[in-house]
Amino acid sequence: MNKVARILAAIPAVIFLIFGLRWLIEPSAAAQILGMTLLEGVGRSSQIGDMSAYFMGGSIMIVAGMITANRTWLYASSLLIVLTAVFRVMAWLFHDAALATSLIVSELIFTGMLMYAASRIPQEK
């Protein structure tokens, strides 16, 4: 994995780590950044738990791919991120959600960065 690929993979890893920690430490601010309100009761538990797991899990997968030089980890995190973009569009199409263009664009950029980084890792035999 070359230096450029490592840097491109590290950017979403760090951003996801920061978002995951923010959901654990300051969930109301994390929710606001994503255009959400912090829910109450069990909904809050699910919201904080799910969002923390999404961001921390994504970050961990990226770091695992970088450390082990195993492209599968980067592909897995790419799949998670691109599906988020796809499902945002589906929410807009079918459920009267606002089209979160800036979030979708960032998710597609992160996916591209991770796919490029994965392509720079030699394939295992």
Side-chain angles (χ1 to χ4, degrees):
M1 184 178 220
N2 65 32
K3 197 175 269 191
V4 172
R6 281 191 187 279
I7 291 168
L8 287 177
I11 292 169
V14 169
I15 291 171
F16 270 47
L17 175 63
I18 291 168
F19 266 82
L21 291 173
R22 191 101 190 244
W23 271 103
L24 291 172
I25 296 166
E26 198 176 9
S28 60
Q32 187 176 21
I33 289 169
L34 296 176
M36 304 166 74
T37 57
L38 195 59
L39 302 174
E40 296 294 328
V42 175
R44 181 177 291 191
S45 176
S46 294
Q47 187 180 29
I48 294 170
D50 293 353
M51 297 305 289
S52 298
Y54 173 84
F55 287 110
M56 297 296 281
S59 181
I60 290 166
M61 284 188 282
I62 296 166
V63 171
M66 293 171 61
I67 290 172
T68 64
N70 183 338
R71 62 172 62 187
T72 302
W73 288 108
L74 298 181
Y75 287 144
S77 58
S78 297
L79 178 63
L80 185 70
I81 297 167
V82 79
L83 285 176
T84 304
V86 168
F87 295 151
R88 284 185 193 280
V89 172
M90 291 177 71
W92 172 70
L93 286 171
F94 302 116
H95 301 291
D96 198 32
L99 184 60
T101 307
S102 62
L103 296 173
I104 294 167
V105 168
S106 65
E107 290 154 358
L108 295 176
I109 289 170
F110 286 165
T111 299
M113 292 164 72
L114 292 170
M115 294 298 286
Y116 174 79
S119 75
R120 307 313 308 156
I121 298 174
Q123 190 168 357
E124 296 179 24
K125 295 182 182 182

Short mmCIF file of all heavy atoms in Angstrom, two decimals, residues 47-75:
data_model
loop_
_atom_site.label_atom_id
_atom_site.label_comp_id
_atom_site.label_asym_id
_atom_site.label_seq_id
_atom_site.Cartn_x
_atom_site.Cartn_y
_atom_site.Cartn_z
N GLN A 47 -30.35 5.10 18.99
CA GLN A 47 -29.71 6.11 18.15
C GLN A 47 -28.22 6.22 18.50
O GLN A 47 -27.36 6.18 17.61
CB GLN A 47 -30.41 7.45 18.36
CG GLN A 47 -29.96 8.56 17.45
CD GLN A 47 -30.71 9.86 17.73
OE1 GLN A 47 -31.14 10.12 18.85
NE2 GLN A 47 -30.86 10.67 16.69
N ILE A 48 -27.90 6.36 19.77
CA ILE A 48 -26.50 6.50 20.18
C ILE A 48 -25.74 5.20 19.92
O ILE A 48 -24.63 5.21 19.38
CB ILE A 48 -26.40 6.92 21.65
CG1 ILE A 48 -26.95 8.34 21.82
CG2 ILE A 48 -24.95 6.84 22.14
CD1 ILE A 48 -27.12 8.78 23.27
N GLY A 49 -26.34 4.07 20.27
CA GLY A 49 -25.68 2.78 20.06
C GLY A 49 -25.44 2.48 18.60
O GLY A 49 -24.33 2.10 18.20
N ASP A 50 -26.46 2.68 17.76
CA ASP A 50 -26.34 2.37 16.34
C ASP A 50 -25.35 3.31 15.65
O ASP A 50 -24.52 2.88 14.85
CB ASP A 50 -27.70 2.46 15.64
CG ASP A 50 -28.67 1.38 16.08
OD1 ASP A 50 -28.27 0.46 16.82
OD2 ASP A 50 -29.86 1.46 15.69
N MET A 51 -25.47 4.59 15.95
CA MET A 51 -24.59 5.56 15.27
C MET A 51 -23.14 5.40 15.73
O MET A 51 -22.22 5.48 14.92
CB MET A 51 -25.09 6.99 15.50
CG MET A 51 -26.47 7.25 14.91
SD MET A 51 -26.60 6.89 13.15
CE MET A 51 -25.62 8.22 12.49
N SER A 52 -22.94 5.16 17.02
CA SER A 52 -21.58 4.92 17.51
C SER A 52 -20.98 3.68 16.86
O SER A 52 -19.83 3.69 16.43
CB SER A 52 -21.58 4.75 19.03
OG SER A 52 -22.03 5.92 19.67
N ALA A 53 -21.78 2.62 16.80
CA ALA A 53 -21.30 1.37 16.19
C ALA A 53 -20.98 1.56 14.72
O ALA A 53 -19.96 1.05 14.22
CB ALA A 53 -22.34 0.27 16.38
N TYR A 54 -21.83 2.28 14.01
CA TYR A 54 -21.61 2.53 12.58
C TYR A 54 -20.27 3.23 12.36
O TYR A 54 -19.44 2.77 11.57
CB TYR A 54 -22.76 3.37 12.02
CG TYR A 54 -22.56 3.83 10.60
CD1 TYR A 54 -22.89 3.00 9.54
CD2 TYR A 54 -22.02 5.08 10.32
CE1 TYR A 54 -22.71 3.42 8.23
CE2 TYR A 54 -21.83 5.50 9.01
CZ TYR A 54 -22.17 4.66 7.96
OH TYR A 54 -21.98 5.08 6.68
N PHE A 55 -20.07 4.34 13.06
CA PHE A 55 -18.85 5.12 12.84
C PHE A 55 -17.61 4.45 13.40
O PHE A 55 -16.56 4.40 12.73
CB PHE A 55 -19.01 6.54 13.39
CG PHE A 55 -19.92 7.39 12.56
CD1 PHE A 55 -21.17 7.76 13.02
CD2 PHE A 55 -19.54 7.80 11.29
CE1 PHE A 55 -22.02 8.54 12.25
CE2 PHE A 55 -20.38 8.58 10.51
CZ PHE A 55 -21.62 8.95 10.98
N MET A 56 -17.70 3.90 14.60
CA MET A 56 -16.53 3.23 15.18
C MET A 56 -16.19 1.95 14.41
O MET A 56 -15.03 1.67 14.15
CB MET A 56 -16.78 2.90 16.66
CG MET A 56 -16.98 4.13 17.53
SD MET A 56 -15.54 5.19 17.63
CE MET A 56 -14.57 4.30 18.81
N GLY A 57 -17.23 1.20 14.04
CA GLY A 57 -16.99 -0.02 13.26
C GLY A 57 -16.36 0.28 11.91
O GLY A 57 -15.43 -0.41 11.48
N GLY A 58 -16.85 1.33 11.25
CA GLY A 58 -16.26 1.72 9.97
C GLY A 58 -14.81 2.11 10.13
O GLY A 58 -13.94 1.70 9.33
N SER A 59 -14.50 2.87 11.16
CA SER A 59 -13.12 3.28 11.41
C SER A 59 -12.23 2.08 11.70
O SER A 59 -11.12 1.96 11.16
CB SER A 59 -13.07 4.26 12.58
OG SER A 59 -11.76 4.69 12.83
N ILE A 60 -12.72 1.17 12.52
CA ILE A 60 -11.94 -0.02 12.87
C ILE A 60 -11.68 -0.88 11.64
O ILE A 60 -10.56 -1.38 11.45
CB ILE A 60 -12.65 -0.83 13.98
CG1 ILE A 60 -12.59 -0.05 15.29
CG2 ILE A 60 -12.05 -2.22 14.13
CD1 ILE A 60 -13.53 -0.57 16.38
N MET A 61 -12.67 -1.03 10.77
CA MET A 61 -12.45 -1.82 9.54
C MET A 61 -11.38 -1.18 8.66
O MET A 61 -10.55 -1.88 8.08
CB MET A 61 -13.76 -1.97 8.76
CG MET A 61 -14.71 -2.97 9.36
SD MET A 61 -16.13 -3.30 8.29
CE MET A 61 -17.14 -1.88 8.59
N ILE A 62 -11.42 0.13 8.53
CA ILE A 62 -10.43 0.81 7.70
C ILE A 62 -9.03 0.63 8.29
O ILE A 62 -8.08 0.29 7.57
CB ILE A 62 -10.77 2.31 7.55
CG1 ILE A 62 -12.09 2.48 6.81
CG2 ILE A 62 -9.64 3.03 6.80
CD1 ILE A 62 -12.69 3.88 6.88
N VAL A 63 -8.90 0.83 9.59
CA VAL A 63 -7.60 0.67 10.24
C VAL A 63 -7.13 -0.78 10.12
O VAL A 63 -5.94 -1.03 9.85
CB VAL A 63 -7.66 1.14 11.71
CG1 VAL A 63 -6.40 0.77 12.46
CG2 VAL A 63 -7.90 2.64 11.77
N ALA A 64 -8.03 -1.72 10.27
CA ALA A 64 -7.65 -3.14 10.11
C ALA A 64 -7.12 -3.40 8.70
O ALA A 64 -6.13 -4.12 8.52
CB ALA A 64 -8.84 -4.05 10.41
N GLY A 65 -7.76 -2.80 7.71
CA GLY A 65 -7.29 -2.96 6.33
C GLY A 65 -5.92 -2.35 6.12
O GLY A 65 -5.07 -2.91 5.42
N MET A 66 -5.68 -1.22 6.75
CA MET A 66 -4.38 -0.56 6.61
C MET A 66 -3.28 -1.34 7.32
O MET A 66 -2.19 -1.50 6.79
CB MET A 66 -4.46 0.86 7.16
CG MET A 66 -5.35 1.78 6.33
SD MET A 66 -5.65 3.38 7.13
CE MET A 66 -3.98 4.03 7.25
N ILE A 67 -3.58 -1.84 8.51
CA ILE A 67 -2.56 -2.55 9.30
C ILE A 67 -2.23 -3.90 8.68
O ILE A 67 -1.06 -4.28 8.58
CB ILE A 67 -3.03 -2.71 10.76
CG1 ILE A 67 -3.00 -1.35 11.46
CG2 ILE A 67 -2.15 -3.71 11.52
CD1 ILE A 67 -3.61 -1.35 12.84
N THR A 68 -3.26 -4.63 8.29
CA THR A 68 -3.04 -5.99 7.78
C THR A 68 -2.75 -6.03 6.28
O THR A 68 -2.40 -7.08 5.76
CB THR A 68 -4.28 -6.88 8.04
OG1 THR A 68 -5.40 -6.36 7.29
CG2 THR A 68 -4.61 -6.95 9.52
N ALA A 69 -2.93 -4.89 5.61
CA ALA A 69 -2.80 -4.83 4.15
C ALA A 69 -3.73 -5.85 3.49
O ALA A 69 -3.38 -6.50 2.51
CB ALA A 69 -1.35 -5.02 3.70
N ASN A 70 -4.92 -5.97 4.07
CA ASN A 70 -5.94 -6.87 3.53
C ASN A 70 -7.06 -6.01 2.97
O ASN A 70 -7.81 -5.38 3.71
CB ASN A 70 -6.45 -7.80 4.64
CG ASN A 70 -7.46 -8.80 4.14
OD1 ASN A 70 -8.10 -8.61 3.10
ND2 ASN A 70 -7.61 -9.89 4.88
N ARG A 71 -7.18 -6.00 1.66
CA ARG A 71 -8.15 -5.13 0.99
C ARG A 71 -9.60 -5.44 1.35
O ARG A 71 -10.46 -4.59 1.20
CB ARG A 71 -7.95 -5.18 -0.52
CG ARG A 71 -8.16 -6.54 -1.11
CD ARG A 71 -8.15 -6.60 -2.60
NE ARG A 71 -6.89 -6.20 -3.20
CZ ARG A 71 -6.72 -6.05 -4.49
NH1 ARG A 71 -7.70 -6.29 -5.31
NH2 ARG A 71 -5.56 -5.68 -4.96
N THR A 72 -9.87 -6.64 1.83
CA THR A 72 -11.24 -7.02 2.18
C THR A 72 -11.82 -6.06 3.22
O THR A 72 -12.99 -5.70 3.16
CB THR A 72 -11.28 -8.47 2.71
OG1 THR A 72 -10.76 -9.32 1.70
CG2 THR A 72 -12.69 -8.89 3.07
N TRP A 73 -11.01 -5.63 4.19
CA TRP A 73 -11.48 -4.70 5.21
C TRP A 73 -11.88 -3.37 4.59
O TRP A 73 -12.88 -2.76 5.00
CB TRP A 73 -10.42 -4.49 6.28
CG TRP A 73 -10.25 -5.66 7.18
CD1 TRP A 73 -9.19 -6.52 7.20
CD2 TRP A 73 -11.15 -6.11 8.19
NE1 TRP A 73 -9.39 -7.48 8.16
CE2 TRP A 73 -10.58 -7.24 8.79
CE3 TRP A 73 -12.38 -5.65 8.65
CZ2 TRP A 73 -11.20 -7.93 9.82
CZ3 TRP A 73 -13.01 -6.34 9.67
CH2 TRP A 73 -12.41 -7.47 10.25
N LEU A 74 -11.11 -2.90 3.63
CA LEU A 74 -11.44 -1.63 2.98
C LEU A 74 -12.68 -1.77 2.11
O LEU A 74 -13.50 -0.85 2.03
CB LEU A 74 -10.25 -1.12 2.17
CG LEU A 74 -8.99 -0.83 2.97
CD1 LEU A 74 -7.88 -0.32 2.06
CD2 LEU A 74 -9.26 0.16 4.08
N TYR A 75 -12.83 -2.92 1.47
CA TYR A 75 -14.05 -3.16 0.68
C TYR A 75 -15.28 -3.21 1.59
O TYR A 75 -16.34 -2.70 1.24
CB TYR A 75 -13.94 -4.46 -0.12
CG TYR A 75 -13.01 -4.39 -1.29
CD1 TYR A 75 -12.22 -5.48 -1.65
CD2 TYR A 75 -12.90 -3.24 -2.08
CE1 TYR A 75 -11.37 -5.43 -2.74
CE2 TYR A 75 -12.05 -3.18 -3.17
CZ TYR A 75 -11.29 -4.27 -3.49
OH TYR A 75 -10.45 -4.22 -4.57
#
